Amino acid sequence: MELIFVECVQSSLRNFMYRNAIFMCERLCAEFPSEVNSQLLATCYLRNDQAYAAYHILKGAQMAQSRYLFALSCFRMDLLSEAERALCPTHEPGLEVPNGAAGHYLLGLIYRFTDRRKNAVTHFKQALSLDPLYWAAYEELSLLGVSAITMVVPKKRLWFLRHQQLQQYVPTCQNTMTSYEDHDCVTFRSLEDVSPRQQKTVQNSNVREVPHGTIASGGISNQLANGGHSNLSFYNTPSPIAAQLSGLAPPPICRNMQPSAATSSTDSSPRPTMNAPAQAPRWKVVDEGKFRKISGRLFSDSITRRSMRLSGDSGTSANTNAATGNGNSHTTKYPGSSRLGHVTSRSVRKAPAWGGDSFEEGLRCEAVDDSRMNITASTSAASPSGDARSEPDGGAMTLGHSTLSDSTVLPGALDILGLLRLLGEGYRLSCLHKSQEALEIYQQLPQRHYNTGWVLSQVGIAYFELMDYLEADRAFSMARRASPYRLEGMDLYSTVLYHMKEDMRLSYLAQELVSTDRLAPQAWCAMGNCYSLQKDHDTALKNFMRAKQLSTRFAYAHTLCAHEYAALEDFDIGIKSYQNALRIDSRHYNAWYGLGIIYLRQEKFEFSEHHFRMAFQINPRSSVILSYLGTALHALKRNDEALMMMEKAVLADKKNPLPMYQKAVILASMEKLDKALEVLEELKENFPREGSVYALMGKIYKRRNMYDKAMLNFGLALDLKPSTADVATIKAAIEKLHVPDDLDDSS
């Protein structure tokens, strides 16, 4: 009865029927109360975005998986200190962090959001060491500005990771069976089709959602199938993650296990062949009733998959004797393991095992390359007569009529790591604001990966940082075509269109994003940018505040709110909004820059210089930041340093007229009028429609008593339709054309 309840709950979870899963799991807990069943109920509530329910269910639980689920519930409820205590109890400082890489990643997020950068980096690196393919941990390290992220993965560790992840993958194949009684041939279209992500993707450039895939309960079925005993995990490869999912400690490696009388009595039974009809599932008592499992054919004669890679280990196998029909002992890598552990799978959710099946039925696959050839595998009925075959020396693996050595198996996993290293290096450089180098890395990607939504969005962000808005627009447009449902990075795309004054396209983008997901902060940021472009700052502010409400850890929404407060000259609230953004992400240089602008306008030049310098330390290649830092230094009468900054700003972006203009202003204030005119003449050639250039030239000519040229430049400046404030300043200068006036006072 308990097993039926569990399978019903698991089936509902697999089919996204969360309300049904919750109802049935409540019946399960009422009938069979246990902490393991409470874990399953908490999992149902977490999948249904009801973290508060999981919090109350698991409060006070002590099992490793219960602690992880409780910490995850606390994290979603912003109870960070309580989540930290669940993962690292203060009364047991030596207790291991539960759930392996996922547990360390969650703890790293907690440390990051509580401004403990060093501890966060330590746990993100620990997550990567436990699982080299944990991309989210690499992302967080890049966002924290870690200059060099090196990951050396031992060959044996890589094999073990692939083996343990395959054990999570194989049970999910059962979900696609048309009938449990009729084990017909099952054909998978691809690895991704077998294991879709069953989670809500949080499109947030600053917040990385804790992987829902770790909220699996595959170990629950295993415990129930053997009558509540915890010994069934003996059949699986010892795995810290699998043990934590089931709430059990990793099983010891048992050697020289002898068959019991019950098992030896069936030694003469014939072994089913690949073409033999499927046998009905049956219960077998193994090793004097200590273990139970469902034997029989779990899969059909052939399982077709595409683009799957295999991994193996060339290390010496552990000497473990497995009982077979003729009494011979065979060498295997891990007790109770099988050759199916060599098949690589990634990002799959562990489904419940059918009555706690062991994975020793001998899944065999044929080697494939990148040409997407079908892979045929088969599983034999597990019988006490012995299913394990001795593997060739050196960790080789039998595949049909051929043998694969580790030299042909391991490169598949290494190819995946090579791809992730390339993507990771580009992302790391982008987070360090080395945008040009990041673009060069992304160009090295294969075309099929470059033309994905994530890569194209990162390319757009890199061009945005370089202030190349045309190329950024092109990259983001391609990303929208490749993944029209993708919202990550669309807030920056709306800012690109804002700078390009593309009001119609920006309005269309905002409406598209809101219609895609009204609960995404990126959609409301785009809507706010649309109103801000139309100078409707009050409505824009309402939209940005809506984005803040939807995601309190979305730093860019706080920054955009502060921009609007600054435009409305509400500087006090603007400063608080910038500071809130920095509390979320201390490397958010836009907030440091915004604070510098406000203090500059308030003529608090020391504060302004400090905040511009902080932004400069995070993004030393921004021409705009360098220009404003030079302006603040000039206001502090540190003209030599200001000129140095302007030179750097000009070199950083020769297309930006601001640093050259500020350089001319500084030179004019130092009475170097000829050099200032040279800079302005060069600037006029490159940017002939900048009215402020002609206005400054008019002031300099007035200082040199060249009134005709001064009047000419003032007139040209007025013809270019400057702002209202600039018009008043220029007209006042024309009226006082023949009145001696100092340049600094007139400016």
Side-chain angles (χ1 to χ4, degrees):
M1 182 177 179
E2 187 174 6
L3 182 61
I4 295 174
F5 267 127
V6 171
E7 178 54 35
C8 180
V9 173
Q10 296 282 6
S11 177
S12 298
L13 290 177
R14 291 194 297 269
N15 291 286
F16 308 98
M17 300 168 60
Y18 299 136
R19 291 182 60 189
N20 188 70
I22 292 171
F23 177 82
M24 295 304 295
C25 199
E26 286 178 344
R27 308 284 75 73
L28 169 66
C29 293
E31 190 73 25
F32 304 98
S34 68
E35 186 170 337
V36 174
N37 291 336
S38 297
Q39 292 175 13
L40 184 57
L41 180 58
T43 299
C44 296
Y45 278 116
L46 284 170
R47 297 275 185 88
N48 201 40
D49 292 329
Q50 293 178 268
Y52 52 87
Y55 172 87
H56 289 288
I57 291 171
L58 295 176
K59 191 169 185 178
Q62 297 300 322
M63 292 176 62
Q65 179 68 2
S66 299
R67 288 165 47 216
Y68 174 78
L69 294 175
F70 180 74
L72 182 58
S73 304
C74 294
F75 181 82
R76 294 188 182 181
M77 297 170 65
D78 284 333
L79 304 175
L80 299 185
S81 59
E82 199 166 351
E84 181 183 353
R85 287 195 298 271
L87 294 174
C88 299
T90 55
H91 60 280
E92 297 183 60
L95 196 62
E96 184 180 357
V97 176
N99 236 23
H104 283 282
Y105 173 72
L106 176 57
L107 191 55
L109 286 179
I110 293 170
Y111 284 135
R112 180 195 167 193
F113 291 127
T114 51
D115 294 328
R116 287 175 283 179
R117 180 181 181 276
K118 185 177 180 180
N119 291 339
V121 169
T122 299
H123 284 280
F124 287 139
K125 287 185 176 180
Q126 183 68 18
L128 270 181
S129 67
L130 292 174
D131 186 354
L133 303 186
Y134 212 113
W135 172 256
Y138 194 98
E139 276 189 314
E140 293 298 332
L141 287 172
S142 300
L143 290 172
L144 288 172
V146 178
S147 57
I149 307 173
T150 57
M151 176 54 60
V152 179
V153 185
K155 185 179 180 182
K156 183 177 293 186
R157 177 63 183 164
L158 184 62
W159 186 95
F160 181 72
L161 288 170
R162 301 299 95 218
H163 178 89
Q164 113 181 351
Q165 288 175 357
L166 178 68
Q167 287 187 323
Q168 299 179 7
Y169 164 70
V170 171
T172 64
C173 301
Q174 301 171 15
N175 303 340
T176 60
M177 288 185 176
T178 57
S179 172
Y180 177 70
E181 293 78 14
D182 300 328
H183 299 280
D184 297 332
C185 179
V186 181
T187 301
F188 298 102
R189 291 172 295 179
S190 67
L191 184 60
E192 289 79 4
D193 294 336
V194 176
S195 56
R197 276 189 174 274
Q198 300 179 4
Q199 63 182 26
K200 178 183 177 183
T201 303
V202 179
Q203 301 290 348
N204 191 321
S205 60
N206 288 289
V207 181
R208 299 293 184 268
E209 183 67 24
V210 177
H212 294 60
T214 58
I215 314 174
S217 51
I220 297 175
S221 298
N222 296 346
Q223 299 181 42
L224 297 176
N226 60 17
H229 295 291
S230 62
N231 297 337
L232 188 62
S233 59
F234 169 87
Y235 283 93
N236 295 331
T237 301
S239 166
I241 296 179
Q244 290 156 2
L245 287 175
S246 61
L248 305 173
I253 297 180
C254 299
R255 303 180 185 275
N256 302 323
M257 184 182 70
Q258 299 298 330
S260 63
T263 59
S264 61
S265 63
T266 57
D267 286 348
S268 59
S269 60
R271 170 185 294 278
T273 61
M274 292 181 62
N275 297 324
Q279 301 177 4
R282 61 182 182 274
W283 291 94
K284 284 290 182 181
V285 180
V286 183
D287 196 7
E288 299 179 354
K290 290 184 179 179
F291 311 103
R292 287 180 179 270
K293 69 174 183 177
I294 295 179
S295 62
R297 300 175 68 89
L298 298 181
F299 299 98
S300 58
D301 290 342
S302 62
I303 299 179
T304 305
R305 285 177 282 181
R306 297 188 305 165
S307 300
M308 179 177 292
R309 295 196 175 273
L310 308 176
S311 65
D313 184 18
S314 61
T316 305
S317 300
N319 294 325
T320 305
N321 295 328
T324 59
N326 54 13
N328 296 333
S329 62
H330 304 284
T331 302
T332 55
K333 190 69 179 174
Y334 299 99
S337 65
S338 68
R339 270 67 62 197
L340 65 82
H342 297 265
V343 184
T344 300
S345 65
R346 179 65 186 151
S347 298
V348 293
R349 191 181 307 283
K350 185 172 182 180
W354 288 91
D357 316 283
S358 69
F359 303 123
E360 55 188 3
E361 280 72 24
L363 180 67
R364 298 176 180 83
C365 300
E366 294 182 354
V368 296
D369 55 10
D370 292 334
S371 59
R372 292 183 177 272
M373 296 177 61
N374 290 336
I375 302 176
T376 304
S378 65
T379 52
S380 305
S383 64
S385 60
D387 184 63
R389 299 177 185 267
S390 60
E391 296 182 75
D393 293 337
M397 164 173 73
T398 302
L399 303 175
H401 300 289
S402 62
T403 299
L404 277 184
S405 65
D406 293 334
S407 60
T408 57
V409 173
L410 191 60
L414 295 180
D415 287 345
I416 297 176
L417 282 177
L419 174 63
L420 291 183
R421 285 193 186 100
L422 203 59
L423 290 167
E425 182 64 12
Y427 186 77
R428 184 184 68 86
L429 291 171
S430 181
C431 290
L432 293 175
H433 305 290
K434 299 180 180 179
S435 301
Q436 193 61 51
E437 292 89 333
L439 289 172
E440 293 173 0
I441 294 293
Y442 289 135
Q443 292 293 336
Q444 300 176 22
L445 287 169
Q447 198 69 17
R448 59 183 178 275
H449 287 285
Y450 184 86
N451 289 328
T452 56
W454 186 88
V455 175
L456 289 171
S457 294
Q458 293 301 317
V459 171
I461 292 173
Y463 280 119
F464 170 75
E465 293 289 343
L466 293 173
M467 297 183 65
D468 191 345
Y469 297 131
L470 291 176
E471 287 297 325
D473 177 27
R474 179 173 173 271
F476 278 123
S477 298
M478 293 173 63
R480 288 284 295 167
R481 288 195 294 270
S483 303
Y485 50 83
R486 186 178 186 85
L487 299 180
E488 186 175 5
M490 292 300 103
D491 49 331
L492 295 180
Y493 184 27
S494 68
T495 303
V496 169
L497 297 178
Y498 173 91
H499 287 296
M500 296 176 65
K501 311 296 183 184
E502 294 281 355
D503 52 348
M504 294 296 294
R505 293 177 58 199
L506 179 55
S507 176
Y508 178 77
L509 174 66
Q511 294 181 36
E512 284 287 303
L513 296 180
V514 170
S515 64
T516 300
D517 187 0
R518 295 183 62 86
L519 300 180
Q522 292 86 352
W524 296 101
C525 285
M527 190 67 73
N529 276 332
C530 181
Y531 282 107
S532 182
L533 183 59
Q534 299 171 8
K535 307 300 182 182
D536 188 352
H537 298 296
D538 291 327
T539 307
L541 187 58
K542 292 179 181 178
N543 285 278
F544 293 143
M545 293 181 69
R546 173 62 175 160
K548 286 197 309 182
Q549 293 172 351
L550 291 172
S551 179
T552 57
R553 296 195 181 103
F554 193 40
Y556 195 49
H558 291 271
T559 300
L560 291 175
C561 279
H563 288 340
E564 296 305 312
Y565 283 124
L568 294 171
E569 297 188 353
D570 194 345
F571 296 135
D572 292 337
I573 301 181
I575 289 173
K576 292 180 181 179
S577 293
Y578 283 130
Q579 290 172 346
N580 289 334
L582 291 175
R583 289 190 187 98
I584 298 170
D585 183 6
S586 61
R587 286 182 49 80
H588 190 56
Y589 75 90
N590 308 74
W592 291 108
Y593 163 79
L595 285 170
I597 291 291
I598 288 181
Y599 288 127
L600 187 65
R601 293 177 64 178
Q602 292 180 335
E603 297 185 356
K604 298 178 180 179
F605 301 124
E606 292 85 357
F607 288 171
S608 177
E609 188 262 341
H610 167 73
H611 288 86
F612 283 135
R613 196 169 292 280
M614 292 296 295
F616 168 71
Q617 290 176 1
I618 298 171
N619 187 2
R621 302 190 180 189
S622 173
S623 177
V624 175
I625 293 176
L626 287 166
S627 299
Y628 277 100
L629 178 56
T631 302
L633 291 171
H634 170 58
L636 293 171
K637 309 300 182 183
R638 294 155 61 181
N639 293 327
D640 293 336
E641 295 181 59
L643 280 176
M644 187 184 303
M645 286 296 171
M646 294 304 172
E647 292 289 350
K648 291 181 179 180
V650 171
L651 294 176
D653 185 6
K654 295 183 178 179
K655 297 179 181 179
N656 184 9
L658 179 61
M660 293 189 68
Y661 176 80
Q662 292 294 338
K663 180 182 177 180
V665 171
I666 296 171
L667 290 172
S669 67
M670 298 171 66
E671 299 297 331
K672 298 180 180 180
L673 302 181
D674 293 335
K675 290 185 178 180
L677 285 174
E678 291 177 5
V679 173
L680 290 172
E681 288 291 343
E682 181 181 356
L683 189 60
K684 184 175 69 174
E685 293 294 328
N686 296 326
F687 303 95
R689 300 193 61 80
E690 287 289 340
S692 56
V693 174
Y694 295 99
L696 182 57
M697 292 180 67
K699 293 178 182 179
I700 293 176
Y701 282 126
K702 176 185 175 183
R703 291 288 302 274
R704 300 183 64 181
N705 297 324
M706 301 173 67
Y707 301 118
D708 293 339
K709 289 187 176 181
M711 190 63 190
L712 174 62
N713 283 278
F714 283 139
L716 291 173
L718 289 174
D719 292 341
L720 293 174
K721 298 180 180 179
S723 63
T724 304
D726 291 338
V727 168
T729 302
I730 294 171
K731 288 184 176 179
I734 293 175
E735 292 174 357
K736 299 179 181 179
L737 184 62
H738 298 283
V739 177
D741 193 12
D742 185 66
L743 181 61
D744 291 335
D745 295 337
S746 65
S747 61

